Amino acid sequence: MNESTILLTLASIHFIALMSPGPDFALVVQNATRHGRQTGLYIALGLSVGILLHSLFSLTGVSFLVHQHPVLYSVLQLLGGSYLLYLGIGALRSVISMIKNPLSDQPSKANHLVISNKRQAFTKGFATNILNPKALVFFVSLMSSLVPADMSVTGKSIALVILFGLSLFWFSSLAWMLSTQRLQTRLQQAGIYIDGLCGVVFTLVGGSILVQTIRTFIG
């Protein structure tokens, strides 16, 4: 395949993967509906930077070395699984709190979070993606199967731009759409269900990663 075909294939596969429900998707949905557009956009930026680094590490072979090194990969699995589990438990605790005291979830608090937590939103998005070992495996597989070692530096640079650009476009569009005034009003009414669903996603993914890691150690 020529470089144009490779880049088009890479973009298509990545965009399909972006639209698949997972921790990144759930994080944007949860925070854009709960805390508003600005928080959602910073989450999107953090996720996209994480994807950019995963792509860069995969192209340079760093991710492959980590994946092939049992100890390093296990450490990443433990960190990533624990972080996702932490997000999941936090979301579920929030749901329990809202059930016990439904009047405590005031819009004014959400607006305050939007203004004061830009860095926190970016960091949460970045950490969720960069610590996800499944993302590392995905990009190692994607790059090793599609991008030839002799691909030009220009081609590889364009690939990085495409992966980052598509990620930022998708997650930002999702955050923007979910935070329109009319839609957000409706979604905030269903906030407890959104938080609960996202909490379950984070908990299941994080828990499965930890279980898999523990089984590897035991086995």
Side-chain angles (χ1 to χ4, degrees):
M1 291 190 294
N2 58 43
E3 290 193 357
S4 298
T5 304
I6 291 173
L7 293 173
L8 181 60
T9 305
L10 190 69
S12 301
I13 294 174
H14 180 57
F15 196 65
I16 292 172
L18 285 173
M19 292 187 289
S20 303
D24 294 352
F25 185 92
L27 192 71
V28 174
V29 171
Q30 181 191 29
N31 285 275
T33 56
R34 174 63 58 188
H35 302 308
R37 177 169 297 166
Q38 191 174 61
T39 297
L41 291 176
Y42 274 91
I43 289 280
L45 180 60
L47 290 169
S48 302
V49 172
I51 288 172
L52 176 63
L53 286 183
H54 270 303
S55 305
L56 179 61
F57 291 157
S58 296
L59 280 177
T60 56
V62 174
S63 293
F64 179 77
L65 292 176
V66 172
H67 188 223
Q68 294 300 309
H69 196 291
V71 175
L72 288 178
Y73 187 62
S74 295
V75 169
L76 177 63
Q77 285 183 305
L78 289 173
L79 288 174
S82 299
Y83 183 71
L84 291 175
L85 193 61
Y86 163 77
L87 292 179
I89 292 174
L92 294 176
R93 287 180 63 185
S94 175
V95 170
I96 294 172
S97 177
M98 283 188 283
I99 292 174
K100 290 182 177 179
N101 188 12
L103 296 179
S104 64
D105 187 39
Q106 297 294 335
S108 59
K109 291 184 179 180
N111 291 334
H112 176 69
L113 286 173
V114 171
I115 296 172
S116 64
N117 283 339
K118 297 176 183 178
R119 184 177 298 177
Q120 182 182 356
F122 173 85
T123 302
K124 181 178 285 189
F126 177 75
T128 299
N129 185 271
I130 202 69
L131 292 177
N132 187 352
K134 293 188 176 183
L136 181 145
V137 174
F138 170 76
F139 283 104
V140 167
S141 302
L142 185 66
M143 295 301 187
S144 61
S145 61
L146 281 180
V147 179
D150 59 351
M151 189 177 191
S152 67
V153 175
T154 301
K156 291 180 179 179
S157 300
I158 293 174
L160 291 176
V161 172
I162 288 174
L163 294 173
F164 174 76
L166 282 177
S167 303
L168 187 60
F169 168 76
W170 168 249
F171 290 129
S172 296
S173 298
L174 186 62
W176 190 279
M177 179 185 67
L178 292 173
S179 58
T180 56
Q181 187 172 0
R182 180 179 299 180
L183 186 57
Q184 190 172 30
T185 300
R186 295 180 180 179
L187 290 174
Q188 284 185 345
Q189 293 173 353
I192 188 171
Y193 304 106
I194 294 173
D195 282 353
L197 181 59
C198 292
V200 169
V201 171
F202 292 137
T203 302
L204 288 178
V205 175
S208 66
I209 292 172
L210 290 177
V211 169
Q212 182 181 357
T213 307
I214 293 171
R215 284 180 176 175
T216 301
F217 277 122
I218 295 176

